[in-house]
Amino acid sequence: MSTFEIRSPLPGTFYRTPAPDAAPFKADGDAVASADTIGMIEVMKTFQEIPAGVDGKAIRFLVDNEEPVMAGQVIAEVEV
Amino acid sequence: MTIRSLLVANRGEIAVRIIKAAKALGIRTVQVHSAADADMLAVKLADEAVNIGPPSAAKSYLNIDAVVAAAKAAGVDAVHPGYGFLSENADFADAVEAAGLIFIGPKGDAIRLLGDKVAAREVAARAGVPTVPGSAGRIASLDEARAIAEKTGFPIMIKAAAGGGGRGIRIAETMADLERHFPQASAEAAAAFGDGGLYLEKVITKARHVEVQILGDGESFVHCFERECSLQRRRQKVWEEAPSTLLPAAVREKLCASAVALAREVGYRGAGTVEYLYDEITQDFYFIEVNTRIQVEHPVTEMITGIDLVQEMIKVCGGAKLSIAQGDILAHGHAIECRINAEDPSRNFMPAPGRIEALTIPQGEGIRFDTMLYEGYSIPPFYDSLVGKLIVWAESRDACLERLKAALEGLVITGIPTTIPLHLALAGADSVKRGAFHTCFLETWLETEFAGLSGKIAEVA
């Protein structure tokens, strides 16, 4: 079994939900498809969707909702 | 004047601007900052700095308790909110006053009144200011909406009474659109603003965005002429000028007088802006809203009138009378402001925070650069992408455009992409030279002319 690291392409703020009162895109342990959105990065008031980029059995988030991230920082790991 | 010390409750270039104005008045400055902003220029320039919380604006610059606590701990006399963040938050103005401090802006009640779009339309109507045809106030039902739309015609805008900054707006082209959007808009407004109230406004197509700068001390009210802000992208202003060259003298006089009448109606205190849509063909103007704060584009007005608006607002809020009478305010020459953003115009304006490697600022008569930048500064990703404003003045608009081109070529910012190439293209564009633009001009121009230019630049590179 191997893990795939999903990295932030940009510095900014990480959001796990599409809106403040909405459910998270993915929960810890969820299976993901490559095109699935797993979160959003807000950079200077604009939002970029982050795709999983890999098909996997289970995702585990390393960054909390609304936490600042650096470009290249690992946001989540996917068990593939 | 009673103000001896001032808390700057903002960041970026406007914080720098406020500190400079305060210093000129001999006022001690205290700068608040988030954990991400400890290195910003305003912190270096202020007499004192206070960390008010984590990078997230909601937990720092928008946190009323944290800002008021910082003001009390620093022992300041007054708080300047700048623009954005808490600048038009009536509860913040009240909290500052409740702490025994002076808020540099209108009273909380005036902010509340003018911030409610429906109430502001009513105030404008009372002051004899024409408003965009539409509903007299909030509308109770779809039936009422249908009746109004039949009278004004289409397209018509459905707007949330509590909305702002371009949010909570839908455009209906037909009656069927109106019937479909109306209930959705109400539900959305209730979810977003806690208030499902809606009103209707006719869409003025190909309108110009013209706004009047006002100043008041609560008893006397003056205008400092108008600005033209028609060049916008996604309802955000990109380029601003003063004066608006297309206005006939008689229209200008009526427009400016109407803004002063509105200021008088609410006993306005501080600096503010009354925004209008202007129909060039019919020469009609319509009130849209009042901004109860200093605006990003205030320097173009300062350049043509010679008045320091930030100093003036600090003085009147400190209890002084307006230092200038209407008869003393004269407009001279022409000024243009270009907003320089940390965005890549060749990649769909993708924001790009980063480190400033080198910075060359053009010097010379009629050139001003308001900025937060210095060499070695790292722009954080958490806030607005505005990094500076290049303002150029000359005797005539043509001369101003020529000087602007030279100034833009002399402005060198390396390390991040900026919108300087966009402004260079605009400064050389024929329609801009002729002043032939409206509020929807820029988006089309970007897709056609600018896309072509970018393509050529990319080929050469």
Side-chain angles (χ1 to χ4, degrees), chain B residues 114 119-131 254 257-266 274 276 287:
Chain B
L114 297 170
R121 262 173 76 94
E122 286 162 5
V123 170
R126 272 211 305 280
V129 185
T131 54
K254 258 171 55 189
S258 82
V260 173
L262 205 152
R264 188 173 293 118
E265 182 69 33
V266 295
V274 187
Y276 301 86
F287 166 82

Side-chain angles (χ1 to χ4, degrees), chain B residues 275-289:
Chain B
E275 298 199 339
Y276 301 86
L277 288 179
Y278 176 67
D279 185 330
E280 226 179 320
I281 297 157
T282 63
Q283 298 194 352
D284 289 321
F285 58 82
Y286 305 101
F287 166 82
I288 338 174
E289 63 181 21

Side-chain angles (χ1 to χ4, degrees), chain B residues 193-208:
Chain B
F193 311 112
D195 173 358
L198 298 177
Y199 67 107
L200 292 181
E201 255 181 26
K202 186 174 165 56
V203 176
I204 312 289
T205 44
K206 298 209 169 171
R208 313 280 292 228

Side-chain angles (χ1 to χ4, degrees), chain B residues 137-400:
Chain B
R138 286 165 193 254
I139 28 181
S141 66
L142 181 57
D143 277 345
E144 203 181 324
R146 277 199 205 97
I148 290 157
E150 260 164 27
K151 218 162 63 189
T152 62
F154 290 93
I156 196 162
M157 263 191 287
I158 308 166
K159 299 173 89 172
R167 292 181 63 208
I169 294 176
R170 285 183 179 215
I171 292 172
E173 302 280 351
T174 63
M175 194 60 89
D177 277 356
L178 180 70
E179 286 166 359
R180 197 171 67 246
H181 289 322
F182 191 84
Q184 288 172 10
S186 180
E188 262 183 29
F193 311 112
D195 173 358
L198 298 177
Y199 67 107
L200 292 181
E201 255 181 26
K202 186 174 165 56
V203 176
I204 312 289
T205 44
K206 298 209 169 171
R208 313 280 292 228
H209 183 119
V210 178
E211 59 188 30
V212 179
Q213 176 71 53
I214 52 165
L215 281 172
D217 59 16
E219 285 168 11
S220 304
F221 314 94
V222 296
H223 70 79
C224 302
F225 298 97
E226 82 289 350
R227 296 186 281 263
E228 157 103 43
C229 311
S230 296
L231 290 174
Q232 307 182 354
R233 180 177 170 269
R234 296 185 175 171
R235 296 179 197 269
Q236 298 289 314
K237 296 168 190 172
V238 164
W239 158 306
E240 298 106 347
E241 312 191 12
S244 175
T245 39
L246 72 141
L247 279 187
V251 175
R252 170 172 296 117
E253 203 175 303
K254 258 171 55 189
L255 181 80
C256 293
S258 82
V260 173
L262 205 152
R264 188 173 293 118
E265 182 69 33
V266 295
Y268 199 82
R269 184 189 74 175
T273 303
V274 187
E275 298 199 339
Y276 301 86
L277 288 179
Y278 176 67
D279 185 330
E280 226 179 320
I281 297 157
T282 63
Q283 298 194 352
D284 289 321
F285 58 82
Y286 305 101
F287 166 82
I288 338 174
E289 63 181 21
V290 183
N291 294 142
T292 56
R293 54 170 160 86
I294 194 75
Q295 281 192 299
V296 177
E297 58 270 35
H298 75 275
V300 289
T301 297
E302 296 186 328
M303 294 292 260
I304 63 159
T305 61
I307 296 167
D308 189 306
L309 292 167
V310 181
Q311 285 189 35
E312 200 61 31
M313 74 192 290
I314 294 171
K315 287 193 282 189
V316 293
C317 292
K321 295 280 149 220
L322 272 181
S323 70
I324 24 171
Q326 191 65 67
D328 304 330
I329 304 172
L330 302 171
H332 177 58
H334 195 87
I336 298 174
E337 171 180 291
C338 297
R339 295 192 188 192
I340 312 296
N341 292 345
E343 294 170 4
D344 188 344
S346 67
R347 290 175 60 212
N348 199 27
F349 295 86
M350 169 80 90
R355 188 170 177 276
I356 303 303
E357 304 294 345
L359 175 67
T360 308
I361 297 169
Q363 309 287 329
E365 196 204 340
I367 299 174
R368 166 174 167 182
F369 188 54
D370 281 19
T371 191
M372 63 197 277
L373 298 181
Y374 59 86
E375 285 182 7
Y377 174 61
S378 283
I379 302 164
F382 310 111
Y383 314 104
D384 200 272
S385 60
L386 181 75
V387 296
K389 307 181 306 201
L390 180 66
I391 309 107
V392 172
W393 177 93
E395 288 284 345
S396 68
R397 187 170 185 272
D398 285 345
C400 187

